[in-house]
Amino acid sequence: MAHIHFDEKTKAFHLQTAKTSYIFQVIKENYLAHSYWGKRVEDYHLLAQPRYHDRGFSGNPNKEDRTFSLDTLLQEYPTYGHTDYRQPAIHVELENGSTVLDLRYDSHTITSGKKPLEGLPATYTESDAEAESLTVTLKDALTNLSVELTYSVFPTYDAITRSVRVVNNGEENVKLQQIASFNVDFEDADFDFITLAGAWARERDVERTPLRRGTQAIESRRGSSSHQQNPFFALARPHTTEDQGEAYGVSLVYSGSFEASIEVDQLKQARATMGIHSFDFCWLLEPSASFQAPETVLVYSANGLGDMSRTYHTFYRERLARGEHRDNIRPILINNWEATYFDFDEEKLVAIAEKAKQADMELFVLDDGWFGKREDDTTSLGDWFVNKEKLPNGLKGVADRVNDLGLQFGIWVEPEMVSEDSDLYLEHPDWCIHVPARRRSESRNQRVLDFSRQEVRDEIVKRISAVLESAPITYVKWDMNRNMTEIGSAGLPPERQRETAHRYMLGLYEVLETITTRYPHVLFESCSGGGGRVDPGMLYYMPQAWSSDNTDAVARQRIQYGSSFVYPTSSLGAHVSAVPNHQVNRITSLKARGDMAMGGVFGYELDATAFTDEELQLVKEQVNLYKEIRETVQFGDLYRLDSPFESGNYGTLYVNRNQTEAVLTYMNTLGEANAPFKRVKLAGLETSKQYTVSGLEGTFGGDELMNIGVPLPYFYGDFQTVLWVVRSVE
Ligand code: DGJ
């Protein structure tokens, strides 16, 4: 069955997923007008004729037709110059200095399947039957510049992807000043703008504000997707909730600087755009050259934000993440970072691993501090050679002993960085991102290696490969701990300096492609000071990410809740750490810490040798409970039941695919005197099935659990949690 239709008569394109329609049309003078994005329709006669009207101060590209202005027209990929005063999707500078561009429909092709994007991460198909793709080519007649808008429809995943490629078919150089990956003009602006904002250790707070006239935007100029904003936004109707109402999600598959903006115009129409940040960006496109902009993933839900998120989860888990770990349950790890920081030796590491084994954990991860002469964060990044003073038997010595205990061995690296105090920097001071004659700012005593340069990438790939081959390593935590400053490259001519940040990303993606395909058995976890690069671009290479350096159980409510707007649980690391918590100094129970961390890819990050017998027993119980439920948690459907951003409490439910098992996590954050009783309505179960609930006596119908709701215990004290397993009765 076709999912992309082109109507020769009306020149309309209709893209259909299981529940969504997306329609646009070639209109007069071959402009491309946006018509509709929303709930699936079969016919669209109502859209056949765009409406035109003569409006004051909205100019007319064609003087014969005063009713036609680009200033108010709903468009698919707008340009600057011919009467549209709103945010353009593309902005170029020509050799004569002009910046006017006039893109008109030229041709289109419809094919089955989906092609990979050149050099960039993107969603993919496993067979051509899974998707259909449409490429519409727009042309500027004067310059012969062509812009290819590619749409892929994944009918069963209920998602549509978009990307843009520019080809310079002309004879002149063109400077690309801005290129959005996505533009949609909505007919009205009756939406809330939902974004995921934050900071280091406070990532992905859900912010929701009504649109107002003018421009509202989110962005990162940091050279990475950032802790501060995530490359995602949703537009939701004011009354949209978790399970009702319209929501439109837009997610950018990119890990560098980005911008997304919503401009509400004079007619209260909303123009949404997203792509690489145009700030300090300029790409020189010589004749015959092309530029590929990253992909955006569009998800429409008529049934609330929960449905939108579940669509992203399944799609990203199955058709963005890759590799042999994609569909595998993830090992329960223990990481030594918060246990020892830089202060460890082989005996200490093995002692932690021994205790971890006693608690039935599966993987030991050696974090920062094993290389060069690194005793703190001032040295050695780039010198990826084991510190024999700390680890006289090398990585292999530790790994073998850890393996002998019956645990896998994993390692931390930060390949994109160099310390000023390192042999690598001494040898190659120009290998970092910098601007000649300007001071080089520091951040955590380190500089960003210039991955836009092939020789830099080659050397780092060589060094990291040697590490991975030096010991039986089955897991890698790939960290990145500072943002770019003084962005420039010694490898690029002056006219290409403003390409540095994007070329860095392309270089990073090339390195990740090389390393992850060279070591397919290794499970990679991305990290950037916790959650500074939790984005779809990284997810393509690494199926999981360290969600935050903040391991406090209460702070994790917000981090996990916000992350769940887009990212699947299988991609979000969550660890139990010691108390008082190192980031917020809060004391919570081991049970609360365990219950919250079991809502992600579970692990521990503390000195296990300090466990009392009682703690060790509880940890062992947590580990074994997680082994029972992890398939449901990591790969099930997630329902958000209570919001830390609204009620201040946290409720999440994971339901497995055949609705036979569910896991309820609830945290009542603050105790209250004489508190009312609480009940929480479950979701996603089968109405007619009978279930047991681990915290309650008896069996209950799915309908009761979802409509009447589960009575929660009376909470006495702060940070009280419930982790109940719901199982169907055979
Ligand atoms: C930042 C990470 O987020 C931490 O988990 C830890 O790996 C440190 N870096 C090590 O320097």
PDB file of all heavy atoms in Angstrom, residues 311-339:
ATOM      1  N   THR A 311       5.835   6.753  20.841  1.00  0.00           N
ATOM      2  CA  THR A 311       6.217   6.625  19.426  1.00  0.00           C
ATOM      3  C   THR A 311       7.714   6.876  19.262  1.00  0.00           C
ATOM      4  O   THR A 311       8.419   6.113  18.602  1.00  0.00           O
ATOM      5  CB  THR A 311       5.409   7.618  18.572  1.00  0.00           C
ATOM      6  OG1 THR A 311       4.028   7.312  18.744  1.00  0.00           O
ATOM      7  CG2 THR A 311       5.781   7.537  17.105  1.00  0.00           C
ATOM      8  N   TYR A 312       8.206   7.940  19.895  1.00  0.00           N
ATOM      9  CA  TYR A 312       9.660   8.196  19.828  1.00  0.00           C
ATOM     10  C   TYR A 312      10.447   7.029  20.424  1.00  0.00           C
ATOM     11  O   TYR A 312      11.469   6.610  19.878  1.00  0.00           O
ATOM     12  CB  TYR A 312      10.032   9.481  20.582  1.00  0.00           C
ATOM     13  CG  TYR A 312       9.882  10.731  19.755  1.00  0.00           C
ATOM     14  CD1 TYR A 312       8.991  11.730  20.109  1.00  0.00           C
ATOM     15  CD2 TYR A 312      10.653  10.926  18.606  1.00  0.00           C
ATOM     16  CE1 TYR A 312       8.851  12.889  19.346  1.00  0.00           C
ATOM     17  CE2 TYR A 312      10.530  12.077  17.840  1.00  0.00           C
ATOM     18  CZ  TYR A 312       9.627  13.058  18.216  1.00  0.00           C
ATOM     19  OH  TYR A 312       9.508  14.193  17.454  1.00  0.00           O
ATOM     20  N   HIS A 313       9.980   6.535  21.572  1.00  0.00           N
ATOM     21  CA  HIS A 313      10.742   5.462  22.242  1.00  0.00           C
ATOM     22  C   HIS A 313      10.926   4.266  21.309  1.00  0.00           C
ATOM     23  O   HIS A 313      12.035   3.772  21.123  1.00  0.00           O
ATOM     24  CB  HIS A 313      10.019   4.986  23.511  1.00  0.00           C
ATOM     25  CG  HIS A 313       9.913   6.050  24.560  1.00  0.00           C
ATOM     26  ND1 HIS A 313       9.081   5.959  25.649  1.00  0.00           N
ATOM     27  CD2 HIS A 313      10.529   7.255  24.674  1.00  0.00           C
ATOM     28  CE1 HIS A 313       9.208   7.042  26.385  1.00  0.00           C
ATOM     29  NE2 HIS A 313      10.075   7.845  25.814  1.00  0.00           N
ATOM     30  N   THR A 314       9.807   3.795  20.753  1.00  0.00           N
ATOM     31  CA  THR A 314       9.897   2.594  19.921  1.00  0.00           C
ATOM     32  C   THR A 314      10.734   2.870  18.682  1.00  0.00           C
ATOM     33  O   THR A 314      11.601   2.080  18.295  1.00  0.00           O
ATOM     34  CB  THR A 314       8.485   2.132  19.495  1.00  0.00           C
ATOM     35  OG1 THR A 314       7.645   2.184  20.640  1.00  0.00           O
ATOM     36  CG2 THR A 314       8.494   0.732  18.940  1.00  0.00           C
ATOM     37  N   PHE A 315      10.476   4.001  18.063  1.00  0.00           N
ATOM     38  CA  PHE A 315      11.175   4.319  16.815  1.00  0.00           C
ATOM     39  C   PHE A 315      12.677   4.472  17.059  1.00  0.00           C
ATOM     40  O   PHE A 315      13.513   3.906  16.340  1.00  0.00           O
ATOM     41  CB  PHE A 315      10.569   5.596  16.234  1.00  0.00           C
ATOM     42  CG  PHE A 315      11.001   5.900  14.830  1.00  0.00           C
ATOM     43  CD1 PHE A 315      11.143   4.893  13.884  1.00  0.00           C
ATOM     44  CD2 PHE A 315      11.243   7.208  14.437  1.00  0.00           C
ATOM     45  CE1 PHE A 315      11.537   5.184  12.575  1.00  0.00           C
ATOM     46  CE2 PHE A 315      11.627   7.506  13.127  1.00  0.00           C
ATOM     47  CZ  PHE A 315      11.784   6.494  12.204  1.00  0.00           C
ATOM     48  N   TYR A 316      13.025   5.222  18.079  1.00  0.00           N
ATOM     49  CA  TYR A 316      14.443   5.465  18.344  1.00  0.00           C
ATOM     50  C   TYR A 316      15.145   4.202  18.844  1.00  0.00           C
ATOM     51  O   TYR A 316      16.327   3.982  18.547  1.00  0.00           O
ATOM     52  CB  TYR A 316      14.612   6.611  19.349  1.00  0.00           C
ATOM     53  CG  TYR A 316      14.518   7.977  18.706  1.00  0.00           C
ATOM     54  CD1 TYR A 316      14.259   8.114  17.339  1.00  0.00           C
ATOM     55  CD2 TYR A 316      14.712   9.143  19.441  1.00  0.00           C
ATOM     56  CE1 TYR A 316      14.185   9.362  16.741  1.00  0.00           C
ATOM     57  CE2 TYR A 316      14.648  10.404  18.841  1.00  0.00           C
ATOM     58  CZ  TYR A 316      14.380  10.504  17.498  1.00  0.00           C
ATOM     59  OH  TYR A 316      14.321  11.747  16.909  1.00  0.00           O
ATOM     60  N   ARG A 317      14.435   3.410  19.627  1.00  0.00           N
ATOM     61  CA  ARG A 317      15.039   2.189  20.144  1.00  0.00           C
ATOM     62  C   ARG A 317      15.315   1.202  19.009  1.00  0.00           C
ATOM     63  O   ARG A 317      16.332   0.546  18.970  1.00  0.00           O
ATOM     64  CB  ARG A 317      14.076   1.567  21.161  1.00  0.00           C
ATOM     65  CG  ARG A 317      14.703   0.605  22.128  1.00  0.00           C
ATOM     66  CD  ARG A 317      13.706   0.209  23.193  1.00  0.00           C
ATOM     67  NE  ARG A 317      12.468  -0.264  22.627  1.00  0.00           N
ATOM     68  CZ  ARG A 317      11.257   0.074  23.066  1.00  0.00           C
ATOM     69  NH1 ARG A 317      11.132   0.910  24.082  1.00  0.00           N
ATOM     70  NH2 ARG A 317      10.186  -0.405  22.495  1.00  0.00           N
ATOM     71  N   GLU A 318      14.371   1.153  18.041  1.00  0.00           N
ATOM     72  CA  GLU A 318      14.471   0.102  17.016  1.00  0.00           C
ATOM     73  C   GLU A 318      15.034   0.576  15.680  1.00  0.00           C
ATOM     74  O   GLU A 318      15.554  -0.228  14.923  1.00  0.00           O
ATOM     75  CB  GLU A 318      13.075  -0.508  16.787  1.00  0.00           C
ATOM     76  CG  GLU A 318      12.559  -1.193  18.040  1.00  0.00           C
ATOM     77  CD  GLU A 318      11.181  -1.812  17.882  1.00  0.00           C
ATOM     78  OE1 GLU A 318      10.620  -1.760  16.761  1.00  0.00           O
ATOM     79  OE2 GLU A 318      10.665  -2.333  18.884  1.00  0.00           O
ATOM     80  N   ARG A 319      14.883   1.874  15.362  1.00  0.00           N
ATOM     81  CA  ARG A 319      15.326   2.319  14.043  1.00  0.00           C
ATOM     82  C   ARG A 319      16.216   3.556  14.063  1.00  0.00           C
ATOM     83  O   ARG A 319      16.369   4.240  13.061  1.00  0.00           O
ATOM     84  CB  ARG A 319      14.100   2.573  13.135  1.00  0.00           C
ATOM     85  CG  ARG A 319      13.345   1.295  12.790  1.00  0.00           C
ATOM     86  CD  ARG A 319      14.201   0.338  11.953  1.00  0.00           C
ATOM     87  NE  ARG A 319      13.504  -0.885  11.645  1.00  0.00           N
ATOM     88  CZ  ARG A 319      13.554  -2.010  12.380  1.00  0.00           C
ATOM     89  NH1 ARG A 319      14.316  -2.062  13.478  1.00  0.00           N
ATOM     90  NH2 ARG A 319      12.877  -3.084  12.026  1.00  0.00           N
ATOM     91  N   LEU A 320      16.793   3.856  15.258  1.00  0.00           N
ATOM     92  CA  LEU A 320      17.839   4.876  15.310  1.00  0.00           C
ATOM     93  C   LEU A 320      19.070   4.255  15.978  1.00  0.00           C
ATOM     94  O   LEU A 320      20.158   4.278  15.421  1.00  0.00           O
ATOM     95  CB  LEU A 320      17.367   6.116  16.075  1.00  0.00           C
ATOM     96  CG  LEU A 320      18.421   7.218  16.219  1.00  0.00           C
ATOM     97  CD1 LEU A 320      18.856   7.768  14.859  1.00  0.00           C
ATOM     98  CD2 LEU A 320      17.911   8.370  17.090  1.00  0.00           C
ATOM     99  N   ALA A 321      18.859   3.679  17.156  1.00  0.00           N
ATOM    100  CA  ALA A 321      19.956   2.938  17.796  1.00  0.00           C
ATOM    101  C   ALA A 321      20.289   1.746  16.898  1.00  0.00           C
ATOM    102  O   ALA A 321      19.431   1.250  16.171  1.00  0.00           O
ATOM    103  CB  ALA A 321      19.524   2.463  19.174  1.00  0.00           C
ATOM    104  N   ARG A 322      21.552   1.335  16.945  1.00  0.00           N
ATOM    105  CA  ARG A 322      21.976   0.232  16.075  1.00  0.00           C
ATOM    106  C   ARG A 322      22.840  -0.745  16.853  1.00  0.00           C
ATOM    107  O   ARG A 322      23.132  -0.555  18.005  1.00  0.00           O
ATOM    108  CB  ARG A 322      22.811   0.778  14.915  1.00  0.00           C
ATOM    109  CG  ARG A 322      22.098   1.736  14.017  1.00  0.00           C
ATOM    110  CD  ARG A 322      23.059   2.268  12.971  1.00  0.00           C
ATOM    111  NE  ARG A 322      24.215   2.916  13.569  1.00  0.00           N
ATOM    112  CZ  ARG A 322      25.351   3.184  12.923  1.00  0.00           C
ATOM    113  NH1 ARG A 322      25.486   2.885  11.658  1.00  0.00           N
ATOM    114  NH2 ARG A 322      26.352   3.785  13.538  1.00  0.00           N
ATOM    115  N   GLY A 323      23.267  -1.759  16.160  1.00  0.00           N
ATOM    116  CA  GLY A 323      24.286  -2.641  16.698  1.00  0.00           C
ATOM    117  C   GLY A 323      23.722  -3.809  17.474  1.00  0.00           C
ATOM    118  O   GLY A 323      22.527  -3.901  17.714  1.00  0.00           O
ATOM    119  N   GLU A 324      24.643  -4.686  17.857  1.00  0.00           N
ATOM    120  CA  GLU A 324      24.169  -5.934  18.441  1.00  0.00           C
ATOM    121  C   GLU A 324      23.600  -5.775  19.845  1.00  0.00           C
ATOM    122  O   GLU A 324      22.943  -6.679  20.339  1.00  0.00           O
ATOM    123  CB  GLU A 324      25.260  -7.007  18.398  1.00  0.00           C
ATOM    124  CG  GLU A 324      26.480  -6.718  19.218  1.00  0.00           C
ATOM    125  CD  GLU A 324      27.538  -7.808  19.011  1.00  0.00           C
ATOM    126  OE1 GLU A 324      27.906  -8.079  17.839  1.00  0.00           O
ATOM    127  OE2 GLU A 324      27.990  -8.347  20.011  1.00  0.00           O
ATOM    128  N   HIS A 325      23.835  -4.633  20.489  1.00  0.00           N
ATOM    129  CA  HIS A 325      23.247  -4.452  21.827  1.00  0.00           C
ATOM    130  C   HIS A 325      21.875  -3.799  21.781  1.00  0.00           C
ATOM    131  O   HIS A 325      21.209  -3.696  22.800  1.00  0.00           O
ATOM    132  CB  HIS A 325      24.184  -3.623  22.695  1.00  0.00           C
ATOM    133  CG  HIS A 325      25.455  -4.345  22.975  1.00  0.00           C
ATOM    134  ND1 HIS A 325      25.533  -5.344  23.910  1.00  0.00           N
ATOM    135  CD2 HIS A 325      26.672  -4.261  22.395  1.00  0.00           C
ATOM    136  CE1 HIS A 325      26.761  -5.833  23.913  1.00  0.00           C
ATOM    137  NE2 HIS A 325      27.468  -5.195  22.997  1.00  0.00           N
ATOM    138  N   ARG A 326      21.497  -3.348  20.589  1.00  0.00           N
ATOM    139  CA  ARG A 326      20.252  -2.601  20.451  1.00  0.00           C
ATOM    140  C   ARG A 326      19.068  -3.298  21.126  1.00  0.00           C
ATOM    141  O   ARG A 326      18.327  -2.686  21.893  1.00  0.00           O
ATOM    142  CB  ARG A 326      19.960  -2.414  18.951  1.00  0.00           C
ATOM    143  CG  ARG A 326      18.791  -1.548  18.650  1.00  0.00           C
ATOM    144  CD  ARG A 326      18.430  -1.613  17.187  1.00  0.00           C
ATOM    145  NE  ARG A 326      17.766  -2.859  16.855  1.00  0.00           N
ATOM    146  CZ  ARG A 326      17.316  -3.173  15.650  1.00  0.00           C
ATOM    147  NH1 ARG A 326      17.513  -2.337  14.648  1.00  0.00           N
ATOM    148  NH2 ARG A 326      16.707  -4.316  15.421  1.00  0.00           N
ATOM    149  N   ASP A 327      18.909  -4.576  20.861  1.00  0.00           N
ATOM    150  CA  ASP A 327      17.735  -5.287  21.371  1.00  0.00           C
ATOM    151  C   ASP A 327      18.044  -6.146  22.599  1.00  0.00           C
ATOM    152  O   ASP A 327      17.200  -6.926  23.030  1.00  0.00           O
ATOM    153  CB  ASP A 327      17.153  -6.192  20.270  1.00  0.00           C
ATOM    154  CG  ASP A 327      16.833  -5.401  19.006  1.00  0.00           C
ATOM    155  OD1 ASP A 327      16.445  -4.230  19.136  1.00  0.00           O
ATOM    156  OD2 ASP A 327      16.991  -5.953  17.904  1.00  0.00           O
ATOM    157  N   ASN A 328      19.255  -6.017  23.104  1.00  0.00           N
ATOM    158  CA  ASN A 328      19.626  -6.868  24.249  1.00  0.00           C
ATOM    159  C   ASN A 328      19.367  -6.168  25.566  1.00  0.00           C
ATOM    160  O   ASN A 328      19.624  -4.961  25.685  1.00  0.00           O
ATOM    161  CB  ASN A 328      21.125  -7.191  24.210  1.00  0.00           C
ATOM    162  CG  ASN A 328      21.476  -8.100  23.061  1.00  0.00           C
ATOM    163  OD1 ASN A 328      20.595  -8.711  22.458  1.00  0.00           O
ATOM    164  ND2 ASN A 328      22.753  -8.173  22.748  1.00  0.00           N
ATOM    165  N   ILE A 329      18.929  -6.953  26.554  1.00  0.00           N
ATOM    166  CA  ILE A 329      18.856  -6.379  27.895  1.00  0.00           C
ATOM    167  C   ILE A 329      20.261  -5.973  28.314  1.00  0.00           C
ATOM    168  O   ILE A 329      21.241  -6.585  27.910  1.00  0.00           O
ATOM    169  CB  ILE A 329      18.251  -7.377  28.910  1.00  0.00           C
ATOM    170  CG1 ILE A 329      18.926  -8.733  28.785  1.00  0.00           C
ATOM    171  CG2 ILE A 329      16.751  -7.465  28.784  1.00  0.00           C
ATOM    172  CD1 ILE A 329      18.629  -9.647  29.935  1.00  0.00           C
ATOM    173  N   ARG A 330      20.318  -4.900  29.102  1.00  0.00           N
ATOM    174  CA  ARG A 330      21.634  -4.321  29.425  1.00  0.00           C
ATOM    175  C   ARG A 330      22.156  -4.852  30.761  1.00  0.00           C
ATOM    176  O   ARG A 330      21.379  -5.030  31.709  1.00  0.00           O
ATOM    177  CB  ARG A 330      21.522  -2.797  29.481  1.00  0.00           C
ATOM    178  CG  ARG A 330      20.925  -2.177  28.227  1.00  0.00           C
ATOM    179  CD  ARG A 330      21.834  -2.385  27.008  1.00  0.00           C
ATOM    180  NE  ARG A 330      21.094  -2.305  25.766  1.00  0.00           N
ATOM    181  CZ  ARG A 330      20.597  -1.195  25.237  1.00  0.00           C
ATOM    182  NH1 ARG A 330      20.760  -0.053  25.858  1.00  0.00           N
ATOM    183  NH2 ARG A 330      19.934  -1.234  24.103  1.00  0.00           N
ATOM    184  N   PRO A 331      23.478  -5.077  30.831  1.00  0.00           N
ATOM    185  CA  PRO A 331      24.059  -5.595  32.072  1.00  0.00           C
ATOM    186  C   PRO A 331      23.950  -4.594  33.230  1.00  0.00           C
ATOM    187  O   PRO A 331      23.975  -3.373  33.008  1.00  0.00           O
ATOM    188  CB  PRO A 331      25.528  -5.818  31.684  1.00  0.00           C
ATOM    189  CG  PRO A 331      25.767  -4.963  30.494  1.00  0.00           C
ATOM    190  CD  PRO A 331      24.465  -4.836  29.774  1.00  0.00           C
ATOM    191  N   ILE A 332      23.865  -5.134  34.435  1.00  0.00           N
ATOM    192  CA  ILE A 332      23.832  -4.278  35.634  1.00  0.00           C
ATOM    193  C   ILE A 332      25.283  -3.995  36.020  1.00  0.00           C
ATOM    194  O   ILE A 332      26.057  -4.920  36.279  1.00  0.00           O
ATOM    195  CB  ILE A 332      23.095  -4.986  36.783  1.00  0.00           C
ATOM    196  CG1 ILE A 332      21.656  -5.285  36.346  1.00  0.00           C
ATOM    197  CG2 ILE A 332      23.143  -4.137  38.049  1.00  0.00           C
ATOM    198  CD1 ILE A 332      20.896  -6.187  37.285  1.00  0.00           C
ATOM    199  N   LEU A 333      25.622  -2.735  36.039  1.00  0.00           N
ATOM    200  CA  LEU A 333      27.035  -2.393  36.218  1.00  0.00           C
ATOM    201  C   LEU A 333      27.320  -1.755  37.563  1.00  0.00           C
ATOM    202  O   LEU A 333      26.418  -1.252  38.233  1.00  0.00           O
ATOM    203  CB  LEU A 333      27.497  -1.468  35.080  1.00  0.00           C
ATOM    204  CG  LEU A 333      26.907  -0.064  34.953  1.00  0.00           C
ATOM    205  CD1 LEU A 333      27.511   0.918  35.947  1.00  0.00           C
ATOM    206  CD2 LEU A 333      27.149   0.472  33.553  1.00  0.00           C
ATOM    207  N   ILE A 334      28.582  -1.766  37.922  1.00  0.00           N
ATOM    208  CA  ILE A 334      29.061  -0.926  39.022  1.00  0.00           C
ATOM    209  C   ILE A 334      30.213  -0.101  38.472  1.00  0.00           C
ATOM    210  O   ILE A 334      31.078  -0.618  37.769  1.00  0.00           O
ATOM    211  CB  ILE A 334      29.479  -1.734  40.266  1.00  0.00           C
ATOM    212  CG1 ILE A 334      29.831  -0.758  41.399  1.00  0.00           C
ATOM    213  CG2 ILE A 334      30.609  -2.709  39.975  1.00  0.00           C
ATOM    214  CD1 ILE A 334      29.689  -1.338  42.773  1.00  0.00           C
ATOM    215  N   ASN A 335      30.171   1.209  38.745  1.00  0.00           N
ATOM    216  CA  ASN A 335      31.171   2.139  38.229  1.00  0.00           C
ATOM    217  C   ASN A 335      31.927   2.715  39.422  1.00  0.00           C
ATOM    218  O   ASN A 335      31.325   3.032  40.445  1.00  0.00           O
ATOM    219  CB  ASN A 335      30.423   3.229  37.432  1.00  0.00           C
ATOM    220  CG  ASN A 335      31.333   4.318  36.926  1.00  0.00           C
ATOM    221  OD1 ASN A 335      32.065   4.954  37.695  1.00  0.00           O
ATOM    222  ND2 ASN A 335      31.279   4.576  35.634  1.00  0.00           N
ATOM    223  N   ASN A 336      33.241   2.862  39.308  1.00  0.00           N
ATOM    224  CA  ASN A 336      34.032   3.276  40.476  1.00  0.00           C
ATOM    225  C   ASN A 336      34.153   4.792  40.639  1.00  0.00           C
ATOM    226  O   ASN A 336      34.839   5.241  41.548  1.00  0.00           O
ATOM    227  CB  ASN A 336      35.445   2.674  40.392  1.00  0.00           C
ATOM    228  CG  ASN A 336      36.300   3.396  39.363  1.00  0.00           C
ATOM    229  OD1 ASN A 336      35.880   3.551  38.215  1.00  0.00           O
ATOM    230  ND2 ASN A 336      37.471   3.857  39.754  1.00  0.00           N
ATOM    231  N   TRP A 337      33.501   5.595  39.769  1.00  0.00           N
ATOM    232  CA  TRP A 337      33.749   7.041  39.816  1.00  0.00           C
ATOM    233  C   TRP A 337      33.451   7.632  41.187  1.00  0.00           C
ATOM    234  O   TRP A 337      34.327   8.129  41.884  1.00  0.00           O
ATOM    235  CB  TRP A 337      32.964   7.740  38.704  1.00  0.00           C
ATOM    236  CG  TRP A 337      33.123   9.242  38.704  1.00  0.00           C
ATOM    237  CD1 TRP A 337      32.133  10.168  38.847  1.00  0.00           C
ATOM    238  CD2 TRP A 337      34.337   9.993  38.568  1.00  0.00           C
ATOM    239  NE1 TRP A 337      32.638  11.439  38.803  1.00  0.00           N
ATOM    240  CE2 TRP A 337      33.996  11.357  38.639  1.00  0.00           C
ATOM    241  CE3 TRP A 337      35.672   9.644  38.402  1.00  0.00           C
ATOM    242  CZ2 TRP A 337      34.939  12.375  38.545  1.00  0.00           C
ATOM    243  CZ3 TRP A 337      36.630  10.667  38.313  1.00  0.00           C
ATOM    244  CH2 TRP A 337      36.261  12.006  38.382  1.00  0.00           C
ATOM    245  N   GLU A 338      32.221   7.549  41.630  1.00  0.00           N
ATOM    246  CA  GLU A 338      31.898   8.182  42.914  1.00  0.00           C
ATOM    247  C   GLU A 338      32.490   7.403  44.095  1.00  0.00           C
ATOM    248  O   GLU A 338      32.504   7.889  45.219  1.00  0.00           O
ATOM    249  CB  GLU A 338      30.387   8.343  43.073  1.00  0.00           C
ATOM    250  CG  GLU A 338      29.825   9.432  42.179  1.00  0.00           C
ATOM    251  CD  GLU A 338      28.440   9.911  42.612  1.00  0.00           C
ATOM    252  OE1 GLU A 338      28.049   9.693  43.763  1.00  0.00           O
ATOM    253  OE2 GLU A 338      27.753  10.513  41.763  1.00  0.00           O
ATOM    254  N   ALA A 339      32.959   6.179  43.829  1.00  0.00           N
ATOM    255  CA  ALA A 339      33.558   5.384  44.908  1.00  0.00           C
ATOM    256  C   ALA A 339      34.965   5.868  45.222  1.00  0.00           C
ATOM    257  O   ALA A 339      35.364   5.987  46.384  1.00  0.00           O
ATOM    258  CB  ALA A 339      33.596   3.923  44.499  1.00  0.00           C
TER     259      ALA A 339
END
